[in-house]
Amino acid sequence: MFLCREKELNILNKRYGKRGLECVVIYGRRRVGKTAIINEFTRDKPTIYFPALNTNAQGNLTALSKAIHSYLHPDAESAPYYASFDAAFAEITRIARTSRRIIFAIDELPYLAKADDSIPSRLQHLLDHEWAETDLFLILCGSSMSFMEKEVLSENSPLFGRRTAQLKVEPLSYLDTARFHPELSYEDNALIYGITGGVPHYINKLDVTGSVKNALLENLLDTSSYLFEEPENLMKQELREPAVYNAVITAIANGATRQNEIADRTGLDRNICSKYIKVLNDLGIIQKIEPIIDKSPRKSFYRITDHFFRFWYRFVPANMMAISSGTIDRIYESVIGSYLPVYMGQVFKDICRQYLIMHPEKLPFPISAIGEWWGPHPVKRKEIQLDIVAFDAKANNTHRGRHFIIGSCKYKNEEIGTNELDLLHDYASVFTNGDDTLFYYIFSKSGFTKGLKDIANEGLVKLIDLEEIYRE
């Protein structure tokens, strides 16, 4: 079953319906569903699909030869091999010139370019000359974010300016993640999003058919399961020194969030450590977080923002003995289940920010930026934090008459009361003034007290529960 990629498919199909050469770049982190999008788009369309291999040039030339021959002779049991990439591309040129519309999809272009670094230049020449007057629909797809952005999309690339469209495929939103399991409760779907991070492959592999707990025990907290080894396998595919990167992620997961703390915890030189941090940041596993107002390098820290990695590193290493011995089910509630509300706190903040972004028609003004804020309280003399701060473009260039949304996100098994609104008023006063207009939002998993609801009825605060968050 193919779900949730209607936008990407609509873009591809619209471009397919036009005449002339198309060069569409599709990229995004591994497992996010790029190949599934290509397969769904090319279904029932004439296509040469070439999945490049992490091998040498000859191995990839053999695979390309098979892909071309499979298109020309789909029932043939064996395929002749082209003598060179030039010969194989010449055959594609011949097919494109004699076909009304043919798709040529190169999946995992970084592997092909690694095997033969002349490939980007060859493709540039073909796009500029041999394929320019054809109706060829070329797809260049890759999972290496750094390669696709630097070697395909950047102005220093031979392919710069040749693409007619690009699609950065992101993990699914919390709402789209819930489409896989419409029969489950909002809380269960929020937890599934918090475990998988909206990565379709992980949602399918978690395979929730009854309770999320049982799915975790069978499909993640089991040494024979696919998801149990996924972080290690992914790092082996992407990185040369997976053990070092594992140490960096583990340090962050255990509370070392600033660069010097990570270096000290891992024993790495600080300059060297910064390089590993940058790679993990480029992969989307971790992210440098700064307050949305009064940004400063001194206030920044690193957080695991890939929810799957965050869940795995939070619960698997600490319980490895029980998982390896097959006894994790006996202690699940005490070592995992009881900690899930705390773990889901950060996930819930992510969900609430997505809600605001996806519903601009419900907001009091168009927001231009959204994030979180923290800083010292001048009176209480302690560090304070706001889960959500969103503002309009005016806030970037003036200190008067600004518009702010100030939000709190509570994933607790209790109703939220008026004291939370009092805190929002107090904390927001640190960086706002009397000329600003503030709108208060409180998100809650378990609802609100009557007193807070009465204040909301007066229009002084907007209250949003899980049902509202999941209402499309």
Side-chain angles (χ1 to χ4, degrees):
M1 181 171 58
F2 188 83
L3 293 172
C4 305
R5 295 301 190 185
E6 293 86 356
K7 177 182 176 182
E8 290 85 349
L9 288 175
N10 285 338
I11 291 171
L12 291 171
N13 281 312
K14 283 182 180 179
R15 303 210 73 89
Y16 184 82
K18 299 179 179 180
R19 299 296 302 272
L21 175 65
E22 290 282 342
C23 177
V24 179
V25 177
I26 301 176
Y27 68 111
R29 58 152 291 177
R30 200 172 295 278
R31 316 288 197 240
V32 82
K34 303 179 298 299
T35 299
I37 291 172
I38 293 173
N39 289 339
E40 185 68 17
F41 166 62
T42 59
R43 191 186 304 275
D44 301 324
K45 296 183 179 74
T47 303
I48 299 172
Y49 174 68
F50 167 41
L53 307 174
N54 190 13
T55 184
N56 60 15
Q58 185 57 49
N60 275 289
L61 179 58
T62 299
L64 177 57
S65 300
K66 289 181 178 178
I68 296 171
H69 194 71
S70 178
Y71 167 76
L72 294 172
H73 307 285
D75 297 325
E77 295 182 0
S78 60
Y81 300 140
Y82 293 94
S84 64
F85 281 111
D86 286 338
F89 289 143
E91 180 64 8
I92 292 173
T93 300
R94 184 194 67 79
I95 295 170
R97 287 175 175 170
T98 57
S99 303
R100 182 175 180 181
R101 187 59 129 178
I102 176 74
I103 299 170
F104 176 36
I106 303 178
D107 203 350
E108 289 303 347
L109 175 65
Y111 286 160
L112 182 60
K114 177 183 175 183
D116 187 333
D117 59 12
S118 70
I119 290 297
S121 296
R122 291 173 191 245
L123 290 173
Q124 174 216 330
H125 176 81
L126 289 163
L127 287 165
D128 289 348
H129 302 285
E130 305 300 327
W131 296 342
E133 301 302 321
T134 71
D135 287 332
L136 180 69
F137 195 104
L138 177 65
I139 295 176
L140 303 177
C141 180
S143 298
S144 172
M145 302 286 281
S146 59
F147 177 92
M148 297 301 290
E149 290 174 349
K150 295 176 183 177
E151 305 299 329
V152 178
L153 298 174
S154 80
E155 59 186 29
N156 295 322
S157 165
L159 292 167
F160 180 73
R162 274 74 184 179
R163 71 184 185 276
T164 55
Q166 69 279 330
L167 295 176
K168 184 177 182 181
V169 183
E170 301 280 6
L172 301 176
S173 69
Y174 75 92
L175 268 183
D176 279 341
T177 299
R179 291 175 62 185
F180 284 73
H181 297 288
E183 76 284 358
L184 297 181
S185 67
Y186 303 135
E187 188 173 342
D188 279 348
N189 272 309
L191 180 55
I192 291 171
Y193 177 74
I195 296 167
T196 65
V199 176
H201 190 62
Y202 298 161
I203 299 170
N204 288 325
K205 290 297 183 181
L206 187 59
D207 191 25
V208 179
T209 55
S211 72
V212 179
K213 172 186 173 181
N214 290 340
L216 278 172
L217 290 171
E218 294 175 8
N219 302 316
L220 194 155
L221 302 172
D222 186 305
T223 56
S224 67
S225 66
Y226 176 93
L227 292 177
F228 173 78
E229 292 190 339
E230 172 63 2
E232 181 180 355
N233 290 336
L234 193 61
M235 285 195 288
K236 284 180 179 178
Q237 292 178 30
E238 295 285 349
L239 307 168
R240 293 181 180 178
E241 300 173 281
V244 180
Y245 288 99
N246 181 69
V248 172
I249 300 172
T250 300
I252 298 173
N254 290 326
T257 60
R258 301 186 185 277
Q259 185 168 313
N260 61 336
E261 296 173 341
I262 299 168
D264 292 342
R265 191 75 62 88
T266 57
L268 294 169
D269 177 88
R270 293 188 181 183
N271 291 329
I272 294 175
C273 184
S274 67
K275 296 178 181 178
Y276 289 102
I277 289 173
K278 183 180 184 304
V279 171
L280 291 171
N281 188 83
D282 291 342
L283 288 173
I285 295 173
I286 68 173
Q287 184 180 349
K288 186 177 183 179
I289 308 297
E290 294 180 309
I292 193 73
I293 301 291
D294 299 326
K295 293 184 178 181
S296 167
R298 292 183 294 106
K299 293 183 178 180
S300 66
F301 67 92
Y302 290 93
R303 175 187 292 159
I304 300 175
T305 48
D306 181 303
H307 290 315
F308 176 76
F309 270 75
R310 182 169 169 264
F311 183 91
W312 197 97
Y313 278 88
R314 170 63 182 82
F315 293 111
V316 173
N319 297 294
M320 189 62 76
M321 184 188 305
I323 294 171
S324 298
S325 64
T327 59
I328 186 65
D329 59 321
R330 303 178 194 174
I331 59 172
Y332 173 88
E333 290 301 333
S334 62
V335 298
I336 295 177
S338 61
Y339 291 97
L340 287 178
V342 175
Y343 168 82
M344 284 296 295
Q346 186 60 46
V347 177
F348 192 52
K349 294 176 189 178
D350 177 18
I351 288 174
C352 296
R353 292 180 196 133
Q354 287 185 41
Y355 171 87
L356 293 177
I357 293 169
M358 289 190 293
H359 295 284
E361 76 285 354
K362 296 183 179 181
L363 303 185
F365 62 88
I367 62 176
S368 62
I370 187 169
E372 56 193 287
W373 176 88
W374 61 92
H377 194 291
V379 176
K380 296 181 177 179
R381 298 186 181 279
K382 68 174 185 177
E383 188 85 359
I384 59 174
Q385 181 176 4
L386 287 168
D387 298 332
I388 292 177
V389 174
F391 53 78
D392 60 2
K394 189 187 300 182
N396 289 323
N397 50 41
T398 181
H399 290 291
R400 292 188 174 277
R402 301 171 295 178
H403 293 85
F404 288 96
I405 287 175
I406 308 296
S408 174
C409 312
K410 297 300 177 185
Y411 202 81
K412 296 182 176 181
N413 294 323
E414 60 185 39
E415 294 180 340
I416 305 303
T418 58
N419 61 322
E420 190 63 30
L421 181 58
D422 293 338
L423 282 178
L424 291 184
H425 289 156
D426 182 24
Y427 291 0
S429 68
V430 175
F431 59 86
T432 60
N433 57 62
D435 294 322
D436 297 329
T437 303
L438 278 58
F439 301 88
Y440 296 97
Y441 282 67
I442 299 179
F443 297 83
S444 171
K445 165 193 165 186
S446 303
F448 311 92
T449 63
K450 181 180 183 302
L452 188 56
K453 289 179 181 178
D454 290 342
I455 296 175
N457 288 335
E458 298 175 16
L460 300 177
V461 63
K462 178 71 173 176
L463 306 180
I464 302 172
D465 57 18
L466 268 183
E467 182 177 359
E468 171 67 22
I469 287 172
Y470 275 93
R471 185 181 299 131
E472 296 196 50

